[in-house]
Amino acid sequence: MGNKSLSKHSTCLVFSILLNFLLFGYNLYFSTVDDGGLSWSRGAAEEAEAVAAISCSGHGRAYLDGVTSGDLPVCECNTCYGGRDCSKFSPSCSADVDSGNPLFLEPYWRQRAAASALVVSGWHRMGYSFPDGTNISPELERHIRQLHAVVGNAVTEGRFIVFGAGSTQLLNAAVHALSPDVPSTSSTVVATAPFYPIYELQTEYFASVDFQYQGDTSLWIAGGNSSSTIIEFVTSPNNPDGKLNEAVLKGPNFKAIYDRAYYWPHFTPIPAADDGELKIFTLSKLTGHAGSRFGWAIVKDEDVYNKMLMHMQLNTMGVSRDTQLRALKLLKTIMAEGGGRTIFDFGYQTMKSRWEKLRKVVSVSKRFSLQDVSSHYCVFSGRVRESSPAYGWLKCEREEESDCYGVLKAAGIIGRGGSVFYATDRNVRLSLIKTRDDFDLLVDKLQKLVSAEQDEEEGGGDGNGIEQHVANVTEYQPLRRRM
Amino acid sequence: MGNKSLSKHSTCLVFSILLNFLLFGYNLYFSTVDDGGLSWSRGAAEEAEAVAAISCSGHGRAYLDGVTSGDLPVCECNTCYGGRDCSKFSPSCSADVDSGNPLFLEPYWRQRAAASALVVSGWHRMGYSFPDGTNISPELERHIRQLHAVVGNAVTEGRFIVFGAGSTQLLNAAVHALSPDVPSTSSTVVATAPFYPIYELQTEYFASVDFQYQGDTSLWIAGGNSSSTIIEFVTSPNNPDGKLNEAVLKGPNFKAIYDRAYYWPHFTPIPAADDGELKIFTLSKLTGHAGSRFGWAIVKDEDVYNKMLMHMQLNTMGVSRDTQLRALKLLKTIMAEGGGRTIFDFGYQTMKSRWEKLRKVVSVSKRFSLQDVSSHYCVFSGRVRESSPAYGWLKCEREEESDCYGVLKAAGIIGRGGSVFYATDRNVRLSLIKTRDDFDLLVDKLQKLVSAEQDEEEGGGDGNGIEQHVANVTEYQPLRRRM
C-alpha cells in the first residue's frame, strides 16, 4: 500500500467529500425550488395555502379574493367577532340568525381540504359550449343523477335536467315554461303561506304579460273551474317552517313547481323519491355553497324542459362553466367518501345537535314555542327519523306579544319576521344553518330570555318584563366560545 | 503518516461514502414525495397538470371536467379535427365560423399558465355576501376600474358598477331598470339593423308588461313626440359589422344602452372613453372567457343602478362567487404584465394578422366584398389605427347571389346569415375570433372560392360555377396545418 494507496484513498475521499457537498448543495437548493413534479400550478397552490393558513381564531376565514392588507387578504369574521384575527368578541352584539347562509357545512369542507381543492387553469373551458353543443356539463349531470340515486330523494330516470344560477333562476324559468304561449292569456302564480317570499317578489318584479302573482292558494281551492293555468309553488320541506308540504291545488289546470332546496337528509327524513313533474334543487342547502349559485331542475315534460333551456340561454347563456367545474369537484368529493353518505351524516348530526340544544332552552318556556316537527320513515337512513329543519319557526305565546320579531330583537336576536313569509310577526324564523358562533349566540340569548321568564314566574317578576331583558342584553358578557 | 493515517482516511472515506448513500437515498425518496412545502393543494395541482399535459396535437385540449375515458378526460377537438388526440383532419368538413367563441385568446392564457392558474379551496366563499353585505367583490370591481383606466375606453369615476352573468343578463336588467315603474305604461325597445339578435329575442321572450320590442330605430326617428320611454340598444363596435355606432335617437324620452362588448383594443381603436349613462362590458370578448359568463355595467344614475342590483338579486342573487374569483385572477394576470397592456398587443396583433390574410384573399374578388373599416386616433395606442373587427361582414356582389349564406355554405363555409341580424342574407357574418384552425380553414375555403372565380374569368369559366366549388370542397385535401 503506502503512499500510492494513501493517494488513491485521498483522491477517493476528496471526490466523496466533493460529492457530498454537491448533493448537499443540490438538496439545499432544491428543497426550496424543487417542485416535486409540479410546474405551472405551484405558485397558485402556494398562494392558496398561504391564504388558508391565515389565522382568524376560529371565528372567521380569509379568502383568496378578500380585501388585502399588505400582501395578504384580511380575515372576514363571523358576526359579533372582529379585530385583525377575529378574536375580539363584541358583548353588545346581537345574534344574527336572519339569513339562510348555510355555513354550518363549512367545517365539513375544511376537514376535506385536499379532497375538495380545485385547480383551474387560465385556459379552462373558455368557449360557450360543451362538445355536445349544450352549456350543461355531462359529467356534472351524471354526478347529480348518482347523488339522487344514493339519497333516494328524486326520481331522475327518464327525466331531463336543466342547470340554473341557484334555484332562484330556475323558479322563474319554471313559471315561464309552465305558462302557456297563448297571446292575451296569462297564468296565475300562487303559494300557501307561510312561504318563501321570492316566489311573489320575483313573479311581480319580472311582471310578464304571460303570468301574474295572485296570492294564496286558499283563494283558488274553490276556483277549480278556472280555465286558465294556475301554477302553485310548493316548498317541501317548507321555508320557513320545515313542513313536508304537498300541492294544495289539484286538477287539469293546476301545475306544481316543487322547490326541493331542503329535501336532503340534513334537514328531513326522506319518505320517498319525488316523482313529480318539476322539482328544483340547489347546491346551497346541499353542500353549503350558497355563493356558487348553482341549482338544477328535474323535469318530466320535454316541452317544459326545452322552454326552460331557452330561458337559461336568453337570460344568462347557461350557468358559468367555472361554477359547473366547482360544483362537479364538490359532488365528486362527496361521492368519493362513504358512497356519498358522509356529508349527510355530518349535516344531520350538526342539525340534530342544534335542535336538541334549541329545544332544551325553549322547552321550559311558556312564553315561546317552536313548531312541531314530524317523524317519518327515511329511505336514506332506513329508519324512522325526526325532522331537523333548517329554521326554527318560533312563536310568541303571550297574547300581547304579537310582534314576536320585535320581542326577540329587543333581546338581541335578529330573526326574520313572519310577515316576510306572508304570515304574521307572531312567528319569527330563526336560521339554524349559519356558523356555530351564530348558533351558540342565539342559544345564549334565548337562554337569557327564558331564564328571565322563569325568574319572573318564580319571584313574581320585577314588573318591567322586556325592558329588563334589554338591560340584560346590554350588559351581556361574552361567554367562553367553544370553537 | 502510515497505517494510522490510512485508517483515519479509510474511516473518513467510509463515512463520506455512507453519507453519499444517505443523501442520495434521501434525495431519491423525497424527490417523489417531497411536497416542496405544499399540503392540501398538491393533489389538485397534480391532477390539473396531468390533464393539461394530455396531448391533443395542438388541435384541441382536455379539460378537468371533460368526459373521461379511463381515468383521464378525453381531448375536445377543434372543428374538423378528431381522433383520440385530435390529429385526424376531416377533409370534407366545413369551416365553422358561425359563433363568436373567442378562442383566439386561448394561446395567450396557455402561455401564462403559471400566472393565471387558480386554486380554489373547498370552503371558498360559501356564503351569500361579501363583508360589505353586497354580492359584488370589491377587489374585482377595483381591478375593473383600473383596467378601464389603462385602456381609456370608459369613464368609471363617480359611476356605479353592477355585475352580471355575461352581458346577456345585464342587457335585460338595463331594459327593466330604464323602463318607468308606472302602471299601464310600457316602454319601447329598439335597435338599428343590422344588430345582435338577442336584444329582440330577449325582450320578447321575457315579455314584460313594462316594455316591448318594437322594431328598428328608423321607425322612431320621426316619433320624437312620443311621451313614452324609448330604449335604444347601441352596439359599438357593432355586431356584426364592427361600426362604431352611436345612438340614433336623441331627446328627453330616449335612453341608450351601450353594448361595449367589443370596445377593446383587440378590435378597434379607442377614440375616447365612453362617458355615457349606461354601458355594458363583458369578459368574453376581453379575455376570451365566454364560458365564465361574467360581465359588468357601468351606470351613472343611482336609481338605475339600484334597479339593476334588484334585478340581479331577484334573478340569480348576483353572479357566482366562483366566477368572480376566476375573473379576478384573470384581470390580476392581465394587470401584472406590461401595465395591463400585453393582452391587447396580443389580441390586436392576432386580429390584425387575420384581417390582413382575409383581405388579401377577398381583395382580388369581384364576387365578394368585406365591410370598410374606419381608422381613428386611438387613446390607448397613442396613434391612428385601423379597426380589426371581431367579424367579417361579407357581401355577395353578384345580383343573383342574394342568398350569400347559401353560397358560402355550399362552398364549405358556415357563417351566420345577415337575416339573423335583421339585415338580408346578401351579407354573412364570418367569425374571426375562433381558433386558428377555424380561421385557417376559412381562409383556405375562401381562397378556393376566389381562385375558382379567377379561373372562370380568365378561362371563361366551365359554366357550372358554384357546383364546381362544391365538388372542389368534397375533394378538399388537408393542408399542412401550421399549429
Side-chain angles (χ1 to χ4, degrees):
Chain A
M1 293 174 85
N3 272 4
K4 208 171 166 189
S5 166
L6 187 64
S7 154
K8 234 199 237 161
H9 265 89
S10 289
T11 312
C12 238
L13 182 61
V14 168
F15 178 73
S16 182
I17 288 171
L18 205 69
L19 199 65
N20 271 334
F21 268 104
L22 280 173
L23 280 173
F24 184 72
Y26 174 89
N27 247 356
L28 204 69
Y29 180 69
F30 282 94
S31 67
T32 48
V33 303
D34 176 6
D35 61 8
L38 289 183
S39 67
W40 56 267
S41 65
R42 162 160 293 273
E46 283 171 351
E47 188 191 5
E49 293 204 6
V51 170
I54 294 170
S55 166
C56 304
S57 310
H59 301 294
R61 72 292 295 154
Y63 295 122
L64 211 48
D65 58 357
V67 172
T68 53
S69 162
D71 277 348
L72 287 172
V74 300
C75 283
E76 300 184 14
C77 304
N78 292 343
T79 325
C80 300
Y81 289 83
R84 250 173 68 110
D85 63 353
C86 302
S87 61
K88 275 193 197 152
F89 179 75
S90 299
S92 62
C93 177
S94 291
D96 181 352
V97 288
D98 179 0
S99 91
N101 230 7
L103 289 175
F104 76 110
L105 286 164
E106 193 185 42
Y108 177 87
W109 296 104
R110 284 194 172 268
Q111 288 159 20
R112 283 150 187 87
S116 61
L118 171 68
V119 172
V120 189
S121 71
W123 63 91
H124 178 77
R125 221 171 263 294
M126 294 171 66
Y128 288 103
S129 309
F130 287 85
D132 62 0
T134 72
N135 50 42
I136 286 183
S137 159
E139 281 295 289
L140 180 52
E141 185 179 333
R142 191 166 67 80
H143 278 80
I144 286 172
R145 289 179 191 271
Q146 280 177 357
L147 184 70
H148 283 301
V150 167
V151 177
N153 62 344
V155 174
T156 62
E157 291 81 16
R159 309 302 167 94
F160 302 98
I161 292 186
V162 191
F163 292 173
S167 50
T168 315
Q169 192 184 19
L170 291 161
L171 299 170
N172 196 239
V175 170
H176 264 283
L178 294 175
S179 299
D181 287 331
V182 182
S184 75
T185 64
S186 150
S187 64
T188 296
V189 180
V190 296
T192 305
F195 64 86
Y196 182 47
I198 214 165
Y199 304 141
E200 176 169 3
L201 295 172
Q202 201 179 53
T203 306
E204 296 204 327
Y205 177 83
F206 293 112
S208 168
V209 295
D210 296 329
F211 52 78
Q212 48 191 304
Y213 186 82
Q214 296 202 349
D216 198 278
T217 46
S218 58
L219 302 170
W220 296 90
I221 294 176
N225 57 350
S226 159
S227 66
S228 80
T229 301
I230 297 179
I231 298 167
E232 180 183 356
F233 273 115
V234 185
T235 325
S236 183
N238 194 33
N239 174 4
D241 61 12
K243 285 202 182 117
L244 279 172
N245 285 346
E246 300 217 5
V248 169
L249 305 175
K250 271 158 196 167
N253 302 324
F254 297 120
K255 292 175 180 177
I257 298 171
Y258 271 82
D259 181 343
R260 290 294 196 178
Y262 301 91
Y263 201 48
W264 298 104
H266 312 317
F267 310 116
T268 177
I270 308 292
D274 182 339
D275 190 25
E277 291 275 338
L278 204 167
K279 50 230 183 198
I280 296 174
F281 290 86
T282 166
L283 203 65
S284 169
K285 303 303 185 285
L286 159 63
T287 69
H289 293 80
S292 291
R293 313 307 310 132
F294 181 77
W296 61 97
I298 304 175
V299 184
K300 203 171 197 170
D301 184 82
E302 191 166 2
D303 277 352
V304 173
Y305 163 69
N306 284 326
K307 283 185 185 175
M308 288 182 77
L309 280 186
M310 171 67 83
H311 185 103
M312 292 303 149
Q313 188 64 20
L314 287 176
N315 191 350
T316 57
M317 292 199 186
V319 173
S320 168
R321 315 316 175 246
D322 304 342
T323 302
Q324 295 191 41
L325 175 66
R326 178 113 196 271
L328 176 63
K329 182 73 196 192
L330 297 171
L331 293 195
K332 275 184 174 174
T333 307
I334 290 176
M335 298 301 289
E337 195 180 318
R341 303 178 70 88
T342 323
I343 192 172
F344 301 110
D345 293 340
F346 181 98
Y348 175 58
Q349 289 305 328
T350 305
M351 293 309 298
K352 189 173 155 231
S353 144
R354 291 189 179 185
W355 269 98
E356 282 165 1
K357 286 178 193 156
L358 184 68
R359 266 207 207 93
K360 197 176 158 199
V361 172
V362 177
S363 64
V364 295
S365 170
K366 286 175 187 158
R367 188 178 178 191
F368 304 107
S369 68
L370 284 163
Q371 78 262 46
D372 290 329
V373 299
S374 55
S375 290
H376 292 274
Y377 179 78
C378 170
V379 297
F380 174 75
S381 59
R383 57 187 178 82
V384 174
R385 245 167 64 165
E386 229 178 32
S387 294
S388 43
Y391 308 107
W393 185 235
L394 193 88
K395 187 176 175 187
C396 282
E397 296 286 350
R398 289 182 185 164
E399 183 73 33
E400 69 276 19
E401 291 185 341
S402 60
D403 178 15
C404 194
Y405 171 78
V407 169
L408 291 186
K409 187 145 189 280
I413 298 171
I414 303 167
R416 192 168 285 184
S419 59
V420 172
F421 304 92
Y422 304 88
T424 70
D425 278 338
R426 184 168 286 283
N427 276 98
V428 178
R429 190 189 84 168
L430 307 174
S431 175
L432 307 179
I433 57 177
K434 296 182 74 188
T435 65
R436 179 162 176 173
D437 282 343
D438 290 317
F439 179 76
D440 287 348
L441 202 52
L442 164 68
V443 169
D444 295 338
K445 302 266 178 182
L446 260 184
Q447 182 67 63
K448 288 225 164 238
L449 260 179
V450 172
S451 298
E453 178 193 341
Q454 306 295 105
D455 292 349
E456 269 175 54
E457 278 184 10
E458 280 162 26
D462 54 7
N464 60 358
I466 187 66
E467 291 74 10
Q468 182 56 44
H469 304 317
V470 178
N472 287 346
V473 165
T474 52
E475 284 160 25
Y476 184 75
Q477 293 302 315
L479 298 179
R480 244 178 260 279
R481 316 301 303 171
R482 278 161 293 180
M483 273 185 82
Chain B
M1 299 174 80
N3 271 4
K4 208 171 163 188
S5 168
L6 186 62
S7 151
K8 235 199 237 163
H9 266 88
S10 289
T11 312
C12 238
L13 181 60
V14 168
F15 177 75
S16 183
I17 288 172
L18 205 70
L19 199 64
N20 270 333
F21 268 103
L22 280 173
L23 280 173
F24 184 70
Y26 174 91
N27 248 357
L28 204 69
Y29 180 69
F30 283 94
S31 66
T32 49
V33 303
D34 177 6
D35 62 7
L38 288 183
S39 66
W40 57 266
S41 64
R42 162 160 291 274
E46 284 171 350
E47 188 190 5
E49 294 205 4
V51 170
I54 294 170
S55 166
C56 305
S57 309
H59 302 294
R61 71 294 294 155
Y63 295 123
L64 211 49
D65 58 357
V67 172
T68 53
S69 161
D71 276 349
L72 287 173
V74 301
C75 282
E76 300 184 14
C77 305
N78 292 343
T79 324
C80 300
Y81 289 82
R84 252 173 65 109
D85 64 352
C86 303
S87 62
K88 278 192 195 152
F89 179 74
S90 299
S92 61
C93 177
S94 291
D96 181 352
V97 288
D98 178 2
S99 91
N101 230 6
L103 289 175
F104 77 109
L105 286 165
E106 194 184 42
Y108 176 88
W109 295 106
R110 284 190 173 271
Q111 288 159 18
R112 282 150 187 87
S116 62
L118 171 68
V119 173
V120 189
S121 71
W123 64 92
H124 178 78
R125 222 171 263 293
M126 295 173 65
Y128 289 101
S129 309
F130 288 84
D132 63 0
T134 71
N135 51 41
I136 287 182
S137 159
E139 280 295 290
L140 179 52
E141 184 178 333
R142 191 166 66 81
H143 278 80
I144 287 171
R145 289 179 190 272
Q146 280 178 357
L147 183 69
H148 283 300
V150 167
V151 177
N153 61 345
V155 174
T156 63
E157 291 80 17
R159 310 299 167 98
F160 302 98
I161 292 186
V162 191
F163 292 174
S167 51
T168 315
Q169 192 184 19
L170 292 161
L171 298 170
N172 195 238
V175 170
H176 264 283
L178 293 176
S179 299
D181 288 331
V182 182
S184 74
T185 64
S186 151
S187 62
T188 296
V189 180
V190 297
T192 305
F195 63 86
Y196 182 47
I198 214 165
Y199 305 141
E200 176 170 5
L201 294 173
Q202 201 179 53
T203 305
E204 295 204 327
Y205 178 84
F206 294 113
S208 168
V209 296
D210 295 329
F211 52 79
Q212 49 192 303
Y213 186 81
Q214 297 200 350
D216 199 276
T217 45
S218 57
L219 303 168
W220 296 90
I221 293 175
N225 56 353
S226 160
S227 65
S228 81
T229 301
I230 297 179
I231 298 168
E232 180 183 357
F233 273 114
V234 185
T235 325
S236 183
N238 195 32
N239 175 3
D241 62 11
K243 285 204 183 115
L244 279 172
N245 284 346
E246 300 218 6
V248 170
L249 305 175
K250 271 157 195 167
N253 302 324
F254 297 120
K255 292 176 179 177
I257 298 171
Y258 271 81
D259 180 343
R260 290 293 195 179
Y262 301 91
Y263 201 48
W264 297 104
H266 312 317
F267 310 115
T268 178
I270 308 293
D274 182 340
D275 190 26
E277 290 274 339
L278 204 167
K279 50 230 184 196
I280 295 174
F281 290 87
T282 167
L283 202 65
S284 171
K285 303 303 186 284
L286 159 62
T287 69
H289 294 80
S292 291
R293 313 306 311 130
F294 182 77
W296 62 96
I298 304 174
V299 184
K300 202 171 198 171
D301 183 83
E302 191 166 3
D303 278 351
V304 173
Y305 164 68
N306 283 326
K307 284 184 184 175
M308 288 184 75
L309 280 185
M310 172 66 83
H311 186 104
M312 293 302 150
Q313 187 64 21
L314 287 176
N315 191 349
T316 57
M317 290 196 186
V319 174
S320 170
R321 315 315 175 249
D322 304 343
T323 302
Q324 295 190 42
L325 175 67
R326 179 112 195 271
L328 176 63
K329 182 74 199 190
L330 297 170
L331 294 195
K332 275 184 174 175
T333 307
I334 290 175
M335 298 302 289
E337 194 181 320
R341 303 179 70 89
T342 322
I343 191 170
F344 302 110
D345 293 341
F346 181 99
Y348 175 59
Q349 289 305 328
T350 305
M351 294 308 300
K352 189 173 154 232
S353 145
R354 290 188 179 186
W355 269 98
E356 281 164 4
K357 287 178 192 157
L358 184 68
R359 267 209 205 90
K360 196 176 159 200
V361 173
V362 177
S363 62
V364 294
S365 169
K366 285 176 189 159
R367 188 178 178 193
F368 305 107
S369 68
L370 284 163
Q371 76 263 45
D372 290 330
V373 299
S374 55
S375 290
H376 293 275
Y377 179 78
C378 170
V379 295
F380 174 75
S381 60
R383 58 188 178 82
V384 173
R385 245 167 63 165
E386 230 179 30
S387 293
S388 44
Y391 308 105
W393 186 232
L394 193 88
K395 188 178 175 184
C396 283
E397 296 285 350
R398 290 181 184 164
E399 182 74 32
E400 68 276 20
E401 292 185 339
S402 61
D403 178 16
C404 193
Y405 171 77
V407 169
L408 291 185
K409 189 146 189 278
I413 298 170
I414 303 168
R416 192 168 284 186
S419 60
V420 172
F421 303 93
Y422 304 88
T424 70
D425 279 338
R426 183 168 288 284
N427 276 96
V428 179
R429 190 190 83 168
L430 306 174
S431 174
L432 308 179
I433 57 177
K434 295 183 75 188
T435 65
R436 178 159 179 177
D437 281 343
D438 289 318
F439 179 76
D440 286 349
L441 201 52
L442 164 68
V443 169
D444 294 338
K445 303 266 177 180
L446 260 184
Q447 182 65 62
K448 288 224 162 236
L449 260 178
V450 172
S451 298
E453 177 193 339
Q454 305 295 106
D455 292 348
E456 270 176 54
E457 277 184 12
E458 281 163 25
D462 53 9
N464 61 358
I466 187 67
E467 293 73 11
Q468 181 58 44
H469 303 317
V470 177
N472 287 347
V473 166
T474 53
E475 285 160 25
Y476 185 74
Q477 293 301 314
L479 299 180
R480 244 178 262 279
R481 315 303 300 170
R482 278 161 292 180
M483 272 185 82

